[in-house]
Amino acid sequence: MGGNAMKLKAYSEKTRKLITLGIVLVLIFLTACANNSNEKSGNPSESGSSQPSGNKITLDFWNGFTGPDGELLTKIVERYNQTNNANVQIKMDIMPWDQMYQKLPPAIATQTAPDLVLMAPVSSVSYIQNDTLRPLNDFFDVSGADKTDFSDSSLTLSSVNGNNYLLPMQMNGLYLYWNKDMFKAAGLDPETPPATLDQLAEFAVKLSNPGKNQYGVGFPVKAAPYYFTSLIEANGGAVVDAAAKKSVFDSPENIKTFEWLRQLAKQKATPAGATGGDLDKLLISGQLGMYISGPWMISGLKSNNINFGVAIPPKGTVRQAMDVGGVGFAVPSSTPDEHIAGIYDFIKYWNSTEIGKEWSISNGFPPYLKSVAQDPDVQKDPVISVMANMDESGVGFLPGYVTAERIAAEIFLAIESVVSGNSDPADILQRASEKIDSILKDEP
């Protein structure tokens, strides 16, 4: 997914408004067109007619895999079309994620949506609240897929009120990358990453040489995945009290974490004001010792001949924690009932050991199927084998919250203020907590 991973995770206010508008449009459309029917393959409004037995079913499939991973996805889809026994043809349309999210709400409203779409959990929330995605609870019963082969985190990508709306297509976590050559030059064991956050801070100071634009660790202030989840959760902190829907961002645990961050900035072990893109470049140019990011970094590191290692982020005072996300298959509510069996057949094919292994080894993304994680070839891969161990430490950032993106923006601003040394961390977190409380008022 490369840089598209960031766009996928973000979900804009504009898109949420489009969904609401879409619900209004669908009522108008259904009233005007109640007596019309159109063929699904050309105009997806025929959700009531049934396909004659033996007829080929064409399923429209939208996603945003515009990078090199999209080429592999296309090959796998073509292979399925040539070999499946369900008489199904997948017609795939790949477009930028932001474009897809703009097109989808009006398409659902006018019954012209695809049968199947890829979606990030945070992006699915508004659709679920507006009843524009179908629950997929019967997938395992209908398809016969082995539920026990799936990791726990992969089956809770988007679970609301006991209903599951996303079936896994790809999982990822945010890992600690470290530059082994920089470790060796600083007198550190190049094969041993820091075990604790305190040790990470100690290593970061040794690795830093600001005069050469070389830093021990990077903490981006924007345009980055939600790596801060690892730091907050590791020290026993939280952002929101879920039961009360109140901010706890200014808790003693979080203040301690941000004071730790401030100290690293004072020691010039991390650059101030750096974005995710800035730190990505530092890492792949061999000037950043440690960095928490996703598996999309691997190809750039390899192509730049960086000698690197990957680990679960270090333990804090309480636990090890890692932000876990992914992409799932979603089915718009406009999809005809008679297409569900074909959709499930394709999703089962995708979640086979053979395809899961091919996707992980080719793209460097961690396997979520146990049979793939246990495969000898996967076990031998020093990077993917580490990435497969996500379940015990994996946590999501505010799953199910419509306001998650806005709250994350406040946390990034707090990080920027702390790293820049503008004021006391306790004061910064108190102000941020008040803003988060205000944002939480918009939660349904």
Side-chain angles (χ1 to χ4, degrees), residues 145-341:
D146 182 6
K147 189 175 184 178
T148 64
D149 195 30
F150 290 71
S151 68
D152 292 340
S153 58
S154 71
L155 294 178
T156 55
L157 275 175
S158 191
S159 183
V160 179
N161 297 326
N163 290 318
N164 192 12
Y165 293 90
L166 294 182
L167 293 169
M169 181 269 179
Q170 173 178 278
M171 295 292 292
N172 64 266
L174 300 182
Y175 309 90
L176 177 74
Y177 291 86
W178 80 93
N179 184 311
K180 294 184 178 182
D181 290 341
M182 285 181 65
F183 267 51
K184 186 175 181 179
L188 301 170
D189 182 352
E191 301 303 323
T192 306
T196 66
L197 290 179
D198 286 342
Q199 196 173 52
L200 181 147
E202 177 190 336
F203 287 8
V205 173
K206 292 180 179 179
L207 290 162
S208 295
N209 188 342
K212 295 182 177 180
N213 198 34
Q214 178 177 306
Y215 295 93
V217 65
F219 299 111
V221 300
K222 61 181 176 181
Y226 302 156
Y227 70 91
F228 48 74
T229 304
S230 298
L231 308 179
I232 290 170
E233 293 275 347
N235 283 331
V239 177
V240 173
D241 180 333
K245 281 194 177 177
K246 297 286 290 181
S247 172
V248 290
F249 187 52
D250 57 348
S251 68
E253 293 85 357
N254 288 343
I255 291 172
K256 180 179 178 181
T257 299
F258 278 72
E259 286 175 343
W260 171 87
L261 185 59
R262 164 64 64 82
Q263 187 61 28
L264 278 169
K266 282 183 176 180
Q267 294 173 300
K268 300 189 183 302
T270 185
T275 67
D278 295 334
L279 294 173
D280 289 354
K281 292 175 183 176
L282 274 181
L283 186 71
I284 64 174
S285 64
Q287 296 171 279
L288 188 62
M290 296 175 288
Y291 186 42
I292 297 174
S293 191
W296 48 85
M297 296 301 304
I298 292 173
S299 61
L301 289 166
K302 287 183 176 179
S303 63
N304 283 274
N305 298 314
I306 301 298
N307 184 17
F308 70 98
V310 178
I312 305 297
K315 182 180 179 181
T317 56
V318 174
R319 57 174 294 198
Q320 275 186 297
M322 175 176 62
D323 184 82
V324 171
V327 184
F329 293 103
V331 179
S333 56
S334 55
T335 299
D337 291 342
E338 59 267 26
H339 286 191
I340 297 300

Side-chain angles (χ1 to χ4, degrees), residues 2 38 72 75 92 108 121 130 234 254 259 262 292 358 387 416 420 422:
N38 298 297
L72 177 59
K75 290 178 182 178
M92 190 163 63
I108 294 174
N130 288 322
N254 288 343
E259 286 175 343
R262 164 64 64 82
I292 297 174
E358 180 180 1
M387 290 183 168
E416 184 172 16
S420 299
N422 290 340

